[in-house]
Amino acid sequence: MEWETLLETAAAVKRLKMFPYFDIAHYVLMCLAVKEDIYPTQFTGQKVFSRIHPLSCWFGSMLLCFAGGILGNLLLGEPLLEPLKNESNVLTATAVWYLINYAPFDCVYKLCKFTPVKLVISLLHEIFRANKVHYSILFALKNFPGSYLLVCAFGVLKGSASLHMRIFQRLICGIWQPSNVEILKPTVITKGSLVASILFILKYKEYIEAPEEIVYFGVFVYFSIIRLLYLLFGVDPFVPFEKLICFLFFGGLIDSIRKAIVKEERTAATGKNSPAGHRPKEE
């Protein structure tokens, strides 16, 4: 009975439609990211960035809101602005952007920043992310069969597109930070999207025998756990695995052996250079 209940729950989660509630959760987090960025105007004592440059703020927010479609089309050679042709989505994202930046007394922004509310929005967003990764893997497997590296990259890009688009959004808003490129410093979201993409590929290549709904639900739970760990405690659960992999396969073990050999040689050389029979003076 418990397995049937779990399967029904997983199937219900998989059937959820993203518009409007889950899309709105995504738009809220993207607009918050743009609003909370550090802009040059803050150092000169001027007004909030959205008051001085509303067009730039709006365009940067839309770039993040529709980053998955834009970057996905870039990989596929499709028109980059095609995701913006859905007027309902654009108007919804614009309404969210306006309320977060221009609502009286910043009431909407403060409400979204209230920790319990932000946690709920973040959980809704993880369902949105699981959905995007899932259908991007299905699409890529259909169009690029056998190209698993490309399929995996497409899933990672769709799952963490806003983070990869962030450098262009910041450039439009007057911030140039090339050292913060996502591929240079991947966040827990990008790493999680990589694992989720691999799980979906293994499922559709029949290496995982669990039902599709269970795998989908498991990816959602997995996304939710790593997101909560990062939001509440600032913990990146991938760090121990990264350190182990780097130690074993990317020179860490060789460097440790080299340091040990050099240390031993120096110790031996020091022992040879010391005078024979020399002993420290006794007081």
Side-chain angles (χ1 to χ4, degrees), residues 210-276:
E212 180 182 354
E213 292 81 4
I214 295 297
V215 176
Y216 184 96
F217 185 72
V219 167
F220 156 62
V221 173
Y222 154 76
F223 272 137
S224 301
I225 291 174
I226 62 174
R227 184 62 176 266
L228 291 177
L229 285 174
Y230 189 75
L231 284 177
L232 296 176
F233 308 107
V235 174
D236 184 346
F238 298 98
V239 170
F241 301 101
E242 291 175 2
K243 290 183 177 180
L244 178 62
I245 292 173
C246 289
F247 179 77
L248 293 177
F249 302 108
F250 295 101
L253 180 60
I254 302 300
D255 291 341
S256 298
I257 295 173
R258 183 185 298 115
K259 289 179 181 178
I261 294 174
V262 170
K263 184 177 180 180
E264 187 175 344
E265 289 177 349
R266 287 179 179 175
T267 303
T270 303
K272 289 180 180 180
N273 294 333
S274 60

Side-chain angles (χ1 to χ4, degrees), residues 17-92:
K17 294 182 179 179
M18 294 298 103
F19 188 83
Y21 304 110
F22 299 97
D23 282 345
I24 289 176
H26 171 66
Y27 299 153
V28 166
L29 292 180
M30 297 304 100
C31 293
L32 286 178
V34 175
K35 182 178 177 65
E36 294 175 346
D37 221 336
I38 301 175
Y39 299 99
T41 55
Q42 296 180 7
F43 300 104
T44 58
Q46 300 181 28
K47 294 181 180 179
V48 180
F49 181 81
S50 59
R51 301 289 200 276
I52 306 174
H53 305 288
L55 180 60
S56 176
C57 180
W58 174 83
F59 192 72
S61 299
M62 295 304 106
L63 276 182
L64 293 192
C65 289
F66 300 99
I70 294 172
L71 294 180
N73 285 2
L74 177 64
L75 284 183
L76 299 173
E78 300 289 336
L80 298 184
L81 298 182
E82 186 176 356
L84 300 177
K85 72 179 183 181
N86 189 324
E87 294 182 355
S88 298
N89 288 339
V90 174
L91 290 176
T92 303

Side-chain angles (χ1 to χ4, degrees), residues 88-127:
S88 298
N89 288 339
V90 174
L91 290 176
T92 303
T94 300
V96 171
W97 165 80
Y98 184 86
L99 290 173
I100 286 179
N101 287 280
Y102 302 104
F105 309 107
D106 269 344
C107 59
V108 175
Y109 170 71
K110 293 176 181 177
L111 176 64
C112 295
K113 287 293 292 180
F114 185 50
T115 301
V117 175
K118 189 171 183 179
L119 289 178
V120 171
I121 295 174
S122 298
L123 290 177
L124 293 177
H125 189 242
E126 296 316 311
I127 296 180

Side-chain angles (χ1 to χ4, degrees), residues 160-221:
S160 57
S162 60
L163 298 171
H164 296 279
M165 182 66 80
R166 197 72 193 273
I167 186 172
F168 301 106
Q169 173 265 314
R170 284 175 167 165
L171 183 61
I172 288 173
C173 295
I175 304 173
W176 175 239
Q177 295 179 335
S179 61
N180 288 339
V181 177
E182 181 66 14
I183 197 170
L184 183 63
K185 298 178 180 178
T187 61
V188 65
I189 300 301
T190 300
K191 300 169 191 175
S193 299
L194 173 61
V195 175
S197 300
I198 293 173
L199 288 175
F200 282 129
I201 291 173
L202 292 176
K203 166 57 190 171
Y204 291 114
K205 299 311 293 183
E206 299 182 350
Y207 291 105
I208 297 178
E209 297 182 356
E212 180 182 354
E213 292 81 4
I214 295 297
V215 176
Y216 184 96
F217 185 72
V219 167
F220 156 62
V221 173

Side-chain angles (χ1 to χ4, degrees), residues 136-151:
S136 66
I137 292 297
L138 281 179
F139 176 85
L141 284 173
K142 181 179 179 181
N143 289 272
F144 309 106
S147 303
Y148 300 118
L149 185 61
L150 179 58
V151 171

